[in-house]
């Protein structure tokens, strides 16, 4: 997170983005919380589904975006029920933004499918660490597409996280479940890498689009359209593969925890995925795509620990070293943010101390003059 960005918004861009300084940090913390809870819970629940004989990849894909109706609440309730805003839903939602939202939603649906394929074959800890490979591509694409400045701290973070993924890949041959063929394991491995690369492209594209979005409510509306598009894509796949019929059969005859637990798992997974995607979108909107990618990668370490604690997955020397490198890289990025923000604060304080003396040396405007209002002072 770049606090300088928030300061800029508070000095002028806050009106464009619709986020004041007073609301910025609470809103950012809410998005971080949604991202944390959603990422860890959805990953563990998806693995729970496959561990107990759930096998339909389209079902797992569909639940990742099927919770889009929940977004109708923050879109319509503030204006029609609470009447706490004067902005009508989808105001200034141009055809271009609609088209971009649909396109990104389809891309998100493909990413969800790849993630489901990978998660169905690989242990949670392995897939989570492989997904961290997206960060190096995120940095490169962010530098090209949104002119993200490459510094020592973010470059060091990306290198460490990427090396942790390579280390895992080199030592992952023994990590295969006994009933999994080498071909399926390789499919899961490649699909997980593909999901990470597609997600790395998704983040800077979203940052570019969000520059045209003038308020947080409009960002939620875009997310609603994207999730709807991803759900339509998954629903087509479900119909083609007989997924909806399979869900009823799977809940009654296949899932070994019973029908009730099956539907609770599905519903809970729908909710947690929405938390994850909304947290990601909010983080990118309020900060930048690189921060969103780094936060997601840092949470992969929590997914690794979750897989070890919940499913008793192997946590040998390779995964220990990989997890330590993930934590090391993330901490270096956080420290770099702290140093940068501290320097920006000192610079702002220095400017504030100089400005009064300059103003005292200048002729004061007449009391009836409203020139200062026009300048926004």
């Amino acid at each position: 997170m770049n606090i300088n960005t928030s300061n800029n918004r508070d000095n002028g861009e806050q009106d464009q983005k619709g986020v004041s300084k007073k609301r910025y940090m609470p809103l950012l913390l809410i998005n971080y919380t949604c991202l944390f809870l959603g990422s860890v819970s959805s990953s563990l629940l998806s693995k729970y589904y496959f561990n107990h004989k759930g096998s339909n990849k389209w079902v797992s894909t569909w639940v990742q975006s099927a919770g889009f109706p929940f977004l109708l609440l923050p879109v319509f309730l503030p204006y029609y029920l609470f009447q706490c805003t004067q902005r009508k839903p989808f105001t200034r939602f141009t055809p271009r933004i609609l088209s971009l939202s649909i396109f990104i939603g389809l891309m998100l649906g493909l990413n969800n499918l790849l993630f489901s394929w990978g998660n169905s074959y690989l242990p949670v800890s392995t897939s989570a660490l492989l997904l961290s490979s997206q960060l190096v591509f995120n940095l490169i694409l962010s530098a090209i597409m949104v002119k993200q400045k490459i510094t020592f701290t973010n470059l060091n973070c990306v290198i460490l996280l990427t090396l942790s993924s390579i280390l895992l890949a080199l030592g992952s041959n023994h990590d295969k479940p006994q009933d999994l063929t080498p071909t399926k394991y390789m499919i899961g491995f490649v699909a997980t890498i593909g999901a990470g690369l597609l997600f790395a492209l998704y983040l800077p594209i979203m940052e570019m689009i969000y520059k045209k979005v003038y308020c947080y409510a409009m960002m939620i509306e875009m997310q609603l359209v994207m999730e709807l598009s991803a759900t339509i894509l998954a629903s087509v796949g479900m119909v083609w593969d007989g997924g909806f019929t399979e869900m009823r059969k799977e809940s009654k005859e296949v899932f070994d925890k019973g029908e009730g637990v099956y539907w609770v798992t599905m519903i809970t997974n729908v909710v947690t995925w929405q938390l994850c995607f909304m947290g990601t979108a909010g983080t990118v909107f309020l900060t930048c795509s690189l921060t969103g990618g780094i936060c997601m990668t840092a949470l992969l370490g929590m997914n690794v620990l979750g897989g070890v604690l919940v499913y008793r997955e192997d946590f040998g020397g390779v995964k220990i070293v990989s997890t330590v490198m993930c934590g090391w890289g993330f901490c270096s990025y956080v420290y770099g943010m702290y140093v940068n923000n501290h320097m920006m604060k000192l610079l702002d304080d220095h400017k504030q101390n100089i400005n009064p003396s300059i103003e005292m040396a200048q002729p004061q405007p007449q009391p009836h003059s409203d020139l200062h209002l026009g300048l926004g002072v």
Side-chain angles (χ1 to χ4, degrees):
M1 178 184 63
N2 191 335
I3 299 298
N4 186 38
T5 302
S6 67
N7 289 339
N8 289 339
R9 286 172 179 167
D10 293 328
N11 291 334
E13 287 187 31
Q14 64 174 10
D15 296 331
Q16 179 184 356
K17 295 295 182 180
V19 180
S20 64
K21 184 176 182 179
K22 184 177 180 180
R23 296 172 53 199
Y24 180 83
M25 286 307 299
L27 193 59
L28 187 60
L29 290 176
I30 290 174
N31 281 277
Y32 280 162
T33 302
C34 290
L35 179 58
F36 173 80
L37 294 177
S39 176
V40 176
S41 301
S42 60
S43 179
L44 294 177
L45 285 169
S46 296
K47 193 62 184 179
Y48 183 83
Y49 166 76
F50 289 114
N51 279 354
H52 294 285
K53 299 184 179 180
S55 59
N56 195 306
K57 282 74 177 178
W58 282 110
V59 171
S60 180
T61 303
W62 185 77
V63 299
Q64 293 182 49
S65 57
F68 72 89
F70 290 112
L71 299 179
L72 294 173
L73 300 178
V75 169
F76 290 102
L77 289 186
Y79 179 79
Y80 289 103
L81 182 61
F82 301 129
Q83 298 181 350
C84 57
T85 178
Q86 297 181 352
R87 179 186 178 273
K88 288 185 178 181
F90 293 97
T91 299
R92 293 171 61 179
F93 205 88
T94 63
R96 182 173 182 270
I97 293 180
L98 176 61
S99 301
L100 289 173
S101 300
I102 294 174
F103 172 75
I104 299 300
L106 295 176
M107 188 174 73
L108 186 62
L110 177 59
N111 181 81
N112 294 344
L113 178 61
L114 291 174
F115 177 83
S116 297
W117 274 91
N119 206 37
S120 65
Y121 293 140
L122 301 179
V124 171
S125 52
T126 301
S127 62
L129 288 171
L130 283 177
L131 286 170
S132 65
S133 63
Q134 58 88 17
L135 196 55
V136 62
F137 297 98
N138 187 357
L139 177 62
I140 295 173
L141 292 173
S142 295
I144 295 174
M145 299 173 64
V146 295
K147 309 303 180 183
Q148 171 69 47
K149 184 179 179 181
I150 298 179
T151 63
F152 172 78
T153 53
N154 59 34
L155 183 61
N156 178 62
C157 174
V158 168
I159 291 175
L160 288 172
L161 292 174
T162 304
L163 288 177
S164 73
S165 299
I166 296 174
L167 181 62
L168 175 70
L170 294 176
S172 62
N173 289 332
H174 68 282
D175 202 22
K176 296 183 294 183
Q178 295 181 353
D179 59 344
L180 187 63
T181 64
T183 300
K184 290 184 176 180
Y185 185 80
M186 183 56 63
I187 291 174
F189 200 91
V190 173
T192 303
I193 293 293
L197 297 181
L198 198 57
F199 189 74
L201 178 62
Y202 162 80
L203 291 176
I205 290 179
M206 288 310 304
E207 183 177 353
M208 290 179 62
I209 297 175
Y210 285 159
K211 290 181 179 180
K212 307 296 183 180
V213 174
Y214 73 98
C215 66
Y216 188 82
M218 192 173 182
M219 183 274 295
I220 299 179
E221 294 162 359
M222 287 188 60
Q223 193 68 20
L224 172 64
V225 176
M226 287 189 292
E227 297 289 343
L228 175 60
S229 302
T231 303
I232 292 175
L233 176 63
S235 298
V236 172
M238 288 274 283
V239 172
W240 172 73
D241 196 41
F244 291 107
T245 303
E246 184 68 21
M247 285 183 73
R248 292 192 293 269
K249 180 181 178 181
E250 195 173 58
S251 65
K252 296 178 179 179
E253 303 176 11
V254 179
F255 198 72
D256 59 14
K257 289 296 183 177
E259 184 177 0
V261 176
Y262 179 88
W263 291 112
V264 170
T265 302
M266 291 292 103
I267 294 173
T268 308
N269 213 355
V270 166
V271 175
T272 56
W273 273 114
Q274 278 307 304
L275 289 175
C276 179
F277 285 128
M278 272 307 304
T280 303
T283 299
V284 174
F285 177 79
L286 294 171
T287 58
C288 65
S289 58
L290 182 60
T291 299
I294 287 177
C295 288
M296 285 293 294
T297 304
L299 286 174
L300 294 178
M302 298 300 299
N303 291 341
V304 171
L305 297 179
V308 172
L309 295 175
V310 176
Y311 301 121
R312 307 300 180 186
E313 294 180 351
D314 175 64
F315 196 62
V318 172
K319 288 183 180 178
I320 292 175
V321 174
S322 297
T323 303
V324 170
M325 293 180 71
C326 280
W328 182 9
F330 180 71
C331 289
S332 69
Y333 183 75
V334 172
Y335 177 74
M337 287 195 308
Y338 169 77
V339 173
N340 180 66
N341 295 333
H342 181 67
M343 295 299 296
M344 293 303 302
K345 183 179 179 181
L346 293 177
L347 182 61
D348 290 341
D349 292 341
H350 180 67
K351 290 180 178 179
Q352 291 177 2
N353 292 333
I354 293 178
N355 287 338
S357 60
I358 296 178
E359 292 177 357
M360 291 180 63
Q362 294 177 347
Q364 297 297 317
Q366 296 299 321
H368 65 273
S369 174
D370 60 353
L371 178 62
H372 60 288
L373 297 178
L375 295 175
V377 178

